[in-house]
C-alpha cells in the first residue's frame, strides 16, 4: 500500500508473506518483524484449512493490524470455476468477507499459484475491483528485483544474498509455511 511513498527511497524492501497454510507460522514472522521494526504485507487465504473466524486466527489478524502490518487477500481464482460461480461475484464476496473480519478495506491482492491459474484481477483492471495494487504487477516484479521462496526454493539465491549485495530495490515474497526451526515436520 505504501509503494508510492517508499519507491522514491534509494533503498527499499517490500516484504510480503503469502499465508498459504499456517497462520501460526505467519505469526512467528510477524513477531520477528515487530521486534525489528519491519512492516510487511500478509496475504490471507479464505479457501484453505485455516479458518479466519476461529479465535486464534482472528486474534492473529488483529495482532497484524495493531502492529502496523498490512493485510491483503490471497485470492484463489479457480475456486469459483470449480463450482461454476461467477468469478467477479465470487471475488467480490471473498474480498468483502476479509474486509469485514479486518474491519478495514483491502488495498491489494495476490493470486494463489499464479503460474498455474489465469486470474480475473490484474494490474489493468484494479480500479474496477476497488483495489490499489496486485502483488504480481510489474511494479513489484519488473521495476524492482523480485525474489520468492515459492515451493520452498529461492530460485535465484537466498534473499540474504541480495540484501548483502546492497540490491537497492527488492520485493521479497516469503511463504511462512516453508520455514521451520528444526524440521519441516513441525509444519505438518
Amino acid at each position: 500500500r505504501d509503494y508510492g511513498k517508499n519507491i522514491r527511497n534509494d533503498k527499499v524492501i517490500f516484504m510480503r508473506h503469502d499465508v498459504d497454510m499456517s497462520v501460526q507460522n505467519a505469526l512467528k514472522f510477524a513477531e520477528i518483524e515487530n521486534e525489528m521494526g519491519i512492516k510487511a504485507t500478509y496475504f490471507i487465504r479464505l479457501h484453505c484449512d485455516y479458518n479466519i473466524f476461529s479465535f486464534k486466527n482472528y486474534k492473529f489478524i488483529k495482532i497484524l493490524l495493531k502492529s502496523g502490518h498490512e493485510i491483503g487477500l490471497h485470492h484463489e481464482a479457480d475456486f469459483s470455476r470449480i463450482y461454476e460461480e461467477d468469478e467477479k461475484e465470487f471475488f467480490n464476496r471473498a474480498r468483502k468477507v476479509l474486509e469485514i473480519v479486518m474491519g478495514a478495506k483491502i488495498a491489494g491482492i495476490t493470486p494463489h499459484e499464479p503460474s498455474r491459474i489465469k486470474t480475473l484481477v490484474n494490474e489493468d483492471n484494479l480500479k474496477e475491483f476497488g483495489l490499489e495494487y496486485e502483488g504480481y504487477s510489474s511494479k513489484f516484479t519488473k521495476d524492482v528485483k523480485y525474489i520468492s521462496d515459492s515451493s520452498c526454493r529461492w530460485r535465484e539465491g537466498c534473499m540474504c544474498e541480495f540484501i548483502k549485495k546492497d540490491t537497492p530495490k527488492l520485493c521479497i515474497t516469503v511463504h511462512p509455511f516453508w520455514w521451520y526451526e528444526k524440521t519441516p515436520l513441525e509444519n505438518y
Side-chain angles (χ1 to χ4, degrees):
R1 172 178 276 158
D2 295 334
Y3 178 89
K5 75 177 186 183
N6 289 315
I7 194 63
R8 292 174 262 191
N9 296 330
D10 292 335
K11 289 185 177 186
V12 64
I13 296 175
F14 299 102
M15 180 61 79
R16 168 181 131 193
H17 300 289
D18 290 353
V19 184
D20 290 346
M21 304 296 287
S22 171
V23 169
Q24 295 311 304
N25 282 25
L27 183 55
K28 291 176 187 176
F29 274 81
E31 289 168 352
I32 293 166
E33 289 165 345
N34 290 344
E35 289 174 17
M36 298 177 74
I38 295 170
K39 301 299 177 213
T41 303
Y42 286 79
F43 288 96
I44 305 291
R45 287 175 65 199
L46 296 185
H47 306 97
C48 60
D49 289 342
Y50 62 83
N51 174 1
I52 63 170
F53 291 99
S54 74
F55 180 78
K56 68 180 181 180
N57 294 338
Y58 184 82
K59 182 178 176 183
F60 163 70
I61 289 171
K62 295 302 181 178
I63 289 170
L64 286 179
L65 292 171
K66 186 177 178 187
S67 301
H69 298 286
E70 180 185 0
I71 295 177
L73 176 63
H74 200 27
H75 177 57
E76 311 196 62
D78 273 359
F79 208 88
S80 61
R81 294 177 198 137
I82 291 169
Y83 293 102
E84 299 177 356
E85 293 185 37
D86 179 81
E87 267 185 272
K88 188 173 182 177
E89 181 183 316
F90 182 85
F91 173 82
N92 285 327
R93 243 186 3 243
R95 185 190 69 216
K96 190 70 175 167
V97 165
L98 187 54
E99 288 176 341
I100 289 169
V101 169
M102 290 174 35
K105 189 161 174 31
I106 290 171
I109 64 131
T110 188
H112 182 61
E113 298 192 349
S115 61
R116 298 179 192 197
I117 319 166
K118 181 183 178 296
T119 60
L120 172 71
V121 183
N122 57 57
E123 65 185 307
D124 298 324
N125 64 3
L126 291 170
K127 297 235 185 292
E128 179 183 334
F129 291 91
L131 296 165
E132 296 175 30
Y133 70 90
E134 193 272 335
Y136 287 104
S137 66
S138 58
K139 69 182 181 181
F140 294 114
T141 59
K142 293 184 177 70
D143 298 349
V144 301
K145 178 62 183 165
Y146 176 79
I147 57 174
S148 171
D149 69 348
S150 185
S151 297
C152 195
R153 281 187 45 225
W154 294 107
R155 284 165 179 69
E156 297 181 57
C158 177
M159 69 178 182
C160 59
E161 298 303 320
F162 288 93
I163 294 168
K164 284 180 193 173
K165 287 192 296 190
D166 265 351
T167 305
K169 297 178 189 298
L170 281 170
C171 180
I172 303 171
T173 297
V174 176
H175 298 78
F177 180 74
W178 298 123
W179 294 82
Y180 53 88
E181 291 183 36
K182 295 180 183 169
T183 172
L185 295 174
E186 296 168 22
N187 297 337
Y188 294 96

